[in-house]
Amino acid sequence: MSQKKPTSINPAVIIFIIFISTLISSIIGFAINQLESIPDFDRKNDYLIWFCIFLALALAGLSGITIILQDENSTSRGRRLFISLVFTSIGIGGSLSYGGNLKEGWIEAQKIINSNPSPESLPQEPVEVTPKTAEVTPKTAEVTPKAESNPPIQHSAPELAQDSFSFETIEVNERGEALRRESKTTSRWIEDLGEGIQLHMVYIPGGTFQMGSPTNEEGHRDNRQIEEGPQRQITVQPFLMGQYAVTQSQWEHVSKLTRVEIDFRSDLSYFKGALRPVERVTWHEAKEFCDRLVRATGREYRLPTEAEWEYACRANTTTPFYFGETITAELANYDGNYVYGQGSKGQFREQTTDVGQFPPNAYGLFDMHGNLWEWCSDNWVMNGDSFRIIRGGSWFTSPKRCRSANRTILRPDNRGDSNPRDSVGLRVVCVPKTNIF
């Protein structure tokens, strides 16, 4: 009886399998690297796992087809070829499906990485444009803070000067079209820090609101990292809040004051401009800024809690944005390539803008949606690590990340050195010891 000649595998088949395996490893490595830079991309880990599973299934099917075609033994060849084709079809279909889910995250990450400006490409001179609502005077002097022992608190700042100002709010429909405009007047207190630098603090009345977002709100987050639900009723006491985010000229002025615990640089920001919000601020530096204000004024300045932040942002609204059901690039500074609800695409400015350029909410607060993330005081512990809450979205985020209820975590020492998407600023609150309410 003659023996059947053993089937040998063509070297080309081995090379093909090695090539496909290397390609899969590269794709997985690329996906992990990209998705690690997107902490707020929901379900990224689930999508990545299923994508890899279906890709491996497709590889198994393709490898089977290749081996079968090289096999001279025709016994059950047709059945095995059919099974391999089924594996290949299912694998390719699943890979395309979950790859599509990952596509948005990859594009966003790559866009953000590519938009990271180098220091040489940044404008070196302060922007000379003064918005009609801005309260600050540009300062360009560079001063290195002195590391001194803390003297007793001494301040010569006058008492808060009461003021009132008028402004116009806007409400839009689900397509971003203006429904109504309303003129309002509210109280504000001015903190004169000297040298022409002032903090305009808006009165926020106390009240009760529903914190968080309903599950049917577009962009609602309910995952293991940080959730927006369930909604809960929160009562907030009256306080004063910065009409704008802290600007670069205000930051520079306070950097000259005697330190309380740490030093910080006066020129942190990527996008230079006296009236632009200061950025690349760590949580510890934001707290130091507030502590220096306390020392200089004798009043209780601090970062807002996230409940205070959301309450002030909503200004008695329950819609995703204080404008209404959607947001447009004419109402805030964010990535206009993305749309929310029935809205439309708009301008992507790719940088911060001067404070006070967009319509305020009903409390008279500007730029609560977009322009720059803002630190809150709240601590968030996850897997034994400590994080801090940031709110508001930014110039580089999609509109769903600019919603009133959206919340994200960041390490307190994060400055955004490797990626401007992590860049954060601050807005201060004050609760005076004397009753001004």
Side-chain angles (χ1 to χ4, degrees), residues 102-119:
L102 293 170
K103 181 180 179 182
E104 178 183 353
W106 287 343
I107 291 175
E108 182 176 347
Q110 194 62 49
K111 176 191 62 182
I112 290 166
I113 292 171
N114 292 337
S115 67
N116 188 357
S118 62

Side-chain angles (χ1 to χ4, degrees), residues 388-407:
R388 296 288 173 171
I389 305 291
I390 58 175
R391 289 286 199 138
S394 190
W395 58 269
F396 50 76
T397 59
S398 61
K400 66 182 180 181
R401 299 301 178 223
C402 299
R403 293 173 299 113
S404 299
N406 184 72
R407 51 206 298 260

